[in-house]
Amino acid sequence: MKFPVTRLRRLRVNEAIRRLVRETRLDAGDLIYPVFVMEGKGSVVPVEAMPGIKRFTVDTLPDEIESVAAAGIPGVIIFGVPSAKDGLASGAWAEDGVVQRAVKQIKERFTGLLVATDVCLCGYTDHGHCGVVEDGRIVNDSSVEILARTAVSHARAGADIVAPSDMMDGRVGAIRRALDGAGYEDVAVMAYSAKYASAFYGPFREAADSRPQFGDRRSYQMDPPNAAEALVEVALDLDEGADIVMVKPALAYLDVIYRVKEKFGRPVAAYNVSGEYSLVKAAAARGWVDERAVVLEMLTAIRRAGADIILTYFAKDVAKWLKEG
Ligand code: PBG
């Protein structure tokens, strides 16, 4: 049926009718808020490259978590910033490590909140790579062992979800087996399955102090031009037991999110990363864009592409804006 019988503007004439036919909705219940926890006492340190984002010590964390829970956001993902680093990332799996203590505390005080943990070594190694280094190479299999040990220590502290972000081959299977072997069958794995070697992680590396000291991450993170390969990564991770698969970053990879959701139909998370956050913040601070409108449009696009879950530094603002209507 064509014009003049068909007039698509009929369903756009006012907000009530637009709302009625809206295809995609944003909900605070779909969001996960990233939180940085550092070693030390009594301090809160703003992340310069990410206006509005701060690093907390375990004792200053509860107020921040309270504000997340009060906003109706179902979960947080914890990133640790240890004070000591070494070649084997021993701080990553230390029983009294900063993430382990933070998780324990959150689960004691905020029983209903989901706690996910980023499982990676880059913040804990002296060279800043996501795996163990031998002769200048990032070695896969011994890294996987340490990652599995790290995931189990997070589960022991009370994590509901562990999220490996290292991009070593075979780590999801190893983590699943290690969790099951230790009695944590109910701890879910949210795999950073299609994680690209992206320039959009720049501000995060200040927040997590995880910049590689030599080279870059291109021998383990995905090459940005590839999409078919992302489907192989996702298939392998699902096969190895991933419960949720993630695409990261989100905005420059909406096509990948779309393909993953179409092909597998499994829960898909997308990480609206630090660079995506800081670009908006910088432009908004100059009055060049309307922050609220731009953020809601971006996150809606991520949902429309097929993501069920969005990890975003905007989560608290978005929850507030959605409440205001
Ligand atoms: C750790 C990790 C990174 C991010 C999440 N987990 C950084 C990296 O791979 O260098 C990026 C998050 C962001 O930019 O917001 N491997």
Side-chain angles (χ1 to χ4, degrees), residues 18-263:
R18 287 193 295 270
R19 195 167 160 222
L20 207 58
V21 299
R22 194 154 289 155
E23 299 174 33
T24 308
R25 269 176 230 283
L26 211 50
D27 188 290
D30 306 325
L31 307 177
I32 294 180
Y33 186 65
V35 174
F36 298 99
V37 190
M38 61 185 174
E39 206 58 77
K41 257 206 159 93
S43 69
V44 177
V45 178
V47 178
E48 222 173 286
M50 302 176 70
I53 300 298
K54 302 173 188 116
R55 310 203 305 203
F56 299 87
T57 50
V58 174
D59 59 326
T60 59
L61 191 58
D63 284 353
E64 172 75 350
I65 301 298
E66 175 64 48
S67 70
V68 177
I73 295 163
V76 292
I77 180 163
I78 307 291
F79 293 92
V81 187
S83 50
K85 301 174 191 259
D86 59 34
L88 289 174
S90 48
W93 42 272
E95 223 49 57
D96 61 345
V98 65
V99 168
Q100 289 79 357
R101 281 183 288 121
V103 170
K104 222 170 274 171
Q105 177 184 260
I106 298 170
K107 290 309 288 185
E108 276 164 16
R109 302 197 191 184
F110 305 89
T111 41
L113 192 74
L114 286 173
V115 177
T117 55
D118 187 82
V119 175
C120 198
L121 307 185
C122 58
Y124 303 86
T125 50
D126 44 18
H127 45 68
H129 278 289
C130 306
V132 176
V133 172
E134 282 166 29
D135 301 326
R137 287 175 49 252
I138 293 89
V139 185
N140 195 85
D141 299 9
S142 35
S143 304
V144 167
E145 252 172 70
I146 300 179
L147 290 159
R149 199 180 309 161
T150 301
V152 170
S153 80
H154 292 176
R156 197 173 294 129
D160 303 288
I161 301 173
V162 293
S165 68
D166 53 285
M167 287 301 279
M168 298 298 128
D169 289 317
R171 92 277 206 209
V172 171
I175 287 172
R176 186 68 271 161
R177 281 190 297 278
L179 288 173
D180 291 352
Y184 299 110
E185 301 86 355
D186 290 337
V187 171
V189 176
M190 175 167 69
Y192 288 72
S193 301
K195 177 174 177 180
Y196 287 87
S198 170
F200 284 95
Y201 308 150
F204 173 94
R205 291 178 189 170
E206 179 204 326
D209 187 25
S210 62
R211 206 170 293 281
Q213 298 303 305
F214 68 88
D216 53 44
R217 303 211 199 288
R218 285 184 286 185
S219 77
Y220 40 105
Q221 298 181 347
M222 279 188 60
D223 200 18
N226 297 357
E229 186 189 351
L231 301 180
V232 180
E233 284 283 6
V234 168
L236 287 169
D237 283 1
L238 287 171
D239 207 46
E240 291 176 27
D243 301 284
I244 301 169
V245 290
M246 196 196 298
V247 175
K248 178 185 170 192
L251 290 172
Y253 299 86
L254 293 175
D255 58 320
V256 177
I257 295 172
Y258 179 79
R259 291 191 211 199
V260 168
K261 189 62 189 182
E262 285 286 296
K263 187 167 169 91

